[in-house]
Amino acid sequence: MKKKLIALLIILAIFIPTYFAIVYYISAQNAPVSERTIEKLTLTALDGNEFVFGKDTKESKDVIGFFVEMNDTSKQVPDLPDQLKKIKCYKAVYRSYNKDKVYRYYFTTNPNEAYYVDSKNKTYSIPAEKAVEFLSMKYSESTYEASVEPEL
């Protein structure tokens, strides 16, 4: 009986790291994006241009930090307004823990009408000051109709 108990304890002890790994994996997969864990952010503008931000330059780190802060300061709302459901959106793909999480950002020229939908399909209202800050970035040029090059 004593040998069986010792064998059981040894087997359980061998699998302790596995239990920790499973708990860590599950918590990482369900965790919201955070500046610390983001490996890469890919932003696709309304015109299809892609901007890739890693942790290699200060500008990239600042953009990632801005998006995380914008997400953190946004308030959850029940649904995306109907007029925004019909417009194109910015697509941000956050690479974190070797998994991609896709967020959709809806901006208009009115900073009070800025929203995003996260990877779990929850909708958030973006504060006007954060919308203004994004709309003043070079990455938001495609929001404005005048930014489109004319065709001859």
Side-chain angles (χ1 to χ4, degrees):
M1 180 71 177
K2 190 175 183 180
K3 288 182 181 182
K4 288 182 181 180
L5 182 61
I6 291 173
L8 179 64
L9 290 175
I10 290 173
I11 290 173
L12 288 176
I14 289 173
F15 287 106
I16 287 175
T18 305
Y19 301 135
F20 284 119
I22 290 170
V23 168
Y24 176 77
Y25 177 80
I26 290 170
S27 65
Q29 295 302 314
N30 294 328
V33 293
S34 70
E35 190 172 353
R36 182 180 58 81
T37 62
I38 295 173
E39 301 162 21
K40 180 175 79 168
L41 166 64
T42 304
L43 179 67
T44 305
L46 303 179
D47 58 5
N49 285 336
E50 268 193 8
F51 303 96
V52 180
F53 307 99
K55 297 215 174 186
D56 50 345
T57 66
K58 182 177 177 353
E59 179 186 9
S60 290
K61 288 179 186 177
D62 290 345
V63 171
I64 290 171
F66 168 76
F67 272 87
V68 170
E69 184 179 342
M70 181 171 60
N71 294 349
D72 290 344
T73 57
S74 298
K75 304 279 188 245
Q76 189 171 354
V77 295
D79 199 16
L80 193 64
D82 289 336
Q83 70 269 19
L84 294 180
K85 290 179 181 177
K86 299 174 186 123
I87 68 169
K88 287 184 176 181
C89 64
Y90 289 86
K91 185 174 94 173
V93 179
Y94 295 93
R95 182 81 173 160
S96 180
Y97 294 114
N98 291 326
K99 184 178 178 185
D100 291 340
K101 293 185 179 183
V102 179
Y103 284 49
R104 297 183 319 273
Y105 292 89
Y106 296 86
F107 291 98
T108 66
T109 54
N110 179 356
N112 293 314
E113 293 180 351
Y115 297 86
Y116 80 89
V117 178
D118 69 6
S119 60
K120 296 177 182 173
N121 254 0
K122 293 182 181 175
T123 304
Y124 297 83
S125 174
I126 298 170
E129 61 272 5
K130 290 295 180 189
V132 167
E133 193 174 342
F134 175 77
L135 291 171
S136 66
M137 293 178 164
K138 63 184 176 185
Y139 314 109
S140 69
E141 289 177 350
S142 59
T143 303
Y144 303 99
E145 292 178 27
S147 70
V148 178
E149 292 181 21
E151 293 183 25
L152 299 176

